[in-house]
Amino acid sequence: MSQMNRRRALQLLAGIGAVGLVGGCGSDDEDSTTSTGAPIKIGLIAPTTGALKPIGTEIVNGFQLFLDRNAGQLGGRPVELVVADEGEDARSGQAAVDNLLKQGVLALTGVVNPAVMIAIRDAVEEARVPLIGSNASPASLQSVVYIWRTSYVLNEPGEAMGAYLGQELPANARVAILAPENAGSRDVIAGFRNGFGPDDQRIAGEVVFTDDTVQPGNSTYVADIQQALARNPTAVFCFYSGQAAVQFVKQLRRTGYRGPIYAPGFLTEGAVLGELREQEATGISTALNYSADLNNTANRQFASDYRKSFNDSPTTYAMASYDAAQVLEAAIRLAGDEPSPQEVNLALGRIGQIDSPRGAWQFNQSRTPQQRWYLRSVQRDGQLLSNVLINELVTLG
């Protein structure tokens, strides 16, 4: 990334409501890319303030990396990337989308909070502007025409882990399930029960729902954790991300629990591991659609370029946003000389397979990826804790 683009990216993440960002210079082997059309405007919705900002940073970085590698273009057209602050709730997310739609964007992307995705559904569908979501999608989001996702549906990480544990845990195991009280958690838990076996006595206990907050305190979860551990479980399954994940793991370990923890990959994704001590994170296994150490050509290049640009390992958030840019690149090329949002949306259904860092995938009928899921384990990798790839779990979607 050029010095100017680096400065602009930092400005975007400083919390200014909506700022234009023109894609930067490409990599050395792509400097000869020639623009063949008029500039286009893409709107990116991501938290640039608040507790969800680290995930928003990853989403901005992933999309920007694709632009940097492709001379700031999508489909042969210069891109003005306009980032609007999603904030922490549905109301701020709705305001961000309204802002971008008024600016006449060709397409939208991003969205971190599943509650925001539900809140903006009608606005996107009525505007007839395609949205390529790059994070969690609620299972209740059905029968949409203009909303596509390069991430996953929330029941899928639970189902992938449930199917694995149903086979791996002994017959006398008992699993405690904890999650924040929200619709996304219910999707994850429904998937977990479906994969594990809904009538399996090993997961027969009631779910312990905790406070639904993105900024928990040092004792927010203690009483709920003690309630769950009173059943003497042999394993814990949970669903948290960001600062909630950090606090949940710390408070769980503080109670003295040293058994295995299983979860969707967000529990240890991104900045979370940097805030956990080795004795807190060891023993955590997660299911996710991506691991930075996947050994395929697309990921080797993506992960290398990401580390060079941002001095950090890529996450599933960055990868899904990078793929959102790949998807738009293909669709805009297919849409013709003067693409409209409606023509881009039609083209999205014709792009076929994506050569992704996660492995090849394609959209299914519900406009979400048919993709592989992977088992990862927190282990020391050199001086750092990392989510180390163990094996492939299942293909879902």
Side-chain angles (χ1 to χ4, degrees), residues 191-313:
F192 179 71
R193 289 193 182 281
N194 184 61
F196 200 109
D199 299 323
D200 197 304
Q201 290 302 301
R202 292 173 292 178
I203 56 170
E206 291 296 318
V207 176
V208 176
F209 285 109
T210 66
D211 188 11
D212 180 20
T213 175
V214 295
Q215 294 182 309
N218 292 331
S219 60
T220 298
Y221 305 122
V222 170
D224 296 314
I225 289 171
Q226 290 173 340
Q227 177 187 340
L229 296 185
R231 305 168 188 165
N232 296 316
T234 52
V236 166
F237 176 80
C238 59
F239 171 57
Y240 296 89
S241 63
Q243 279 301 305
V246 173
Q247 284 299 328
F248 177 81
V249 172
K250 284 181 175 294
Q251 291 171 42
L252 178 62
R253 293 307 195 193
R254 203 181 302 145
T255 66
Y257 178 77
R258 293 293 178 264
I261 303 172
Y262 301 97
F266 332 114
L267 187 72
T268 57
E269 191 73 348
V272 174
L273 273 186
E275 298 191 46
L276 294 175
R277 300 194 304 271
E278 184 171 3
Q279 59 267 38
E280 293 170 334
T282 299
I284 298 179
S285 298
T286 61
L288 201 58
N289 60 347
Y290 177 69
S291 179
D293 57 354
L294 278 168
N295 187 22
N296 61 62
T297 301
N299 188 54
R300 287 194 296 271
Q301 187 65 60
F302 168 71
S304 174
D305 289 349
Y306 193 92
R307 291 183 178 107
K308 289 176 184 176
S309 295
F310 305 108
N311 195 31
D312 204 357
S313 292

Side-chain angles (χ1 to χ4, degrees), residues 49-85:
T49 58
L52 298 176
K53 179 181 175 179
I55 299 176
T57 300
E58 292 281 337
I59 284 178
V60 173
N61 287 352
F63 202 96
Q64 185 63 49
L65 180 62
F66 187 89
L67 292 179
D68 290 343
R69 292 184 64 187
N70 290 274
Q73 299 178 28
L74 292 176
R77 296 169 182 274
V79 170
E80 179 186 358
L81 183 64
V82 185
V83 177
D85 184 9

Side-chain angles (χ1 to χ4, degrees), residues 144-212:
V144 289
V145 176
Y146 283 87
I147 299 178
W148 307 71
R149 279 89 7 122
T150 56
S151 50
Y152 46 84
V153 180
L154 273 168
N155 62 304
E156 292 177 343
E159 183 169 352
M161 183 57 84
Y164 168 74
L165 290 182
Q167 296 293 321
E168 291 294 316
L169 293 180
N172 62 347
R174 293 182 304 279
V175 181
I177 304 174
L178 299 97
E181 179 72 73
N182 60 45
S185 293
R186 296 187 186 281
D187 285 346
V188 170
I189 293 165
F192 179 71
R193 289 193 182 281
N194 184 61
F196 200 109
D199 299 323
D200 197 304
Q201 290 302 301
R202 292 173 292 178
I203 56 170
E206 291 296 318
V207 176
V208 176
F209 285 109
T210 66
D211 188 11
D212 180 20

Side-chain angles (χ1 to χ4, degrees), residues 42-45 59 63 106-111 117 120 124 129-135 145-151 320-329 331 344-345 348-349 351 358 361 363 367 369:
I42 303 296
L44 193 156
I45 306 112
I59 284 178
F63 202 96
L106 181 66
L108 298 163
T109 188
V111 185
M117 185 66 82
I120 66 177
V124 172
V129 173
L131 164 63
I132 318 298
S134 48
N135 197 37
V145 176
Y146 283 87
I147 299 178
W148 307 71
R149 279 89 7 122
T150 56
S151 50
S321 191
Y322 181 88
D323 275 4
Q326 285 210 79
V327 162
L328 285 171
E329 156 77 15
V344 172
N345 195 67
L348 285 166
I351 61 175
R358 79 188 83 177
W361 66 270
F363 284 121
R367 290 166 159 71

Side-chain angles (χ1 to χ4, degrees), residues 353-372:
Q353 194 170 85
I354 300 297
D355 184 19
S356 168
R358 79 188 83 177
W361 66 270
Q362 61 187 22
F363 284 121
N364 59 22
Q365 286 188 330
S366 62
R367 290 166 159 71
T368 58
Q370 182 178 17
Q371 62 187 326
R372 290 186 286 272

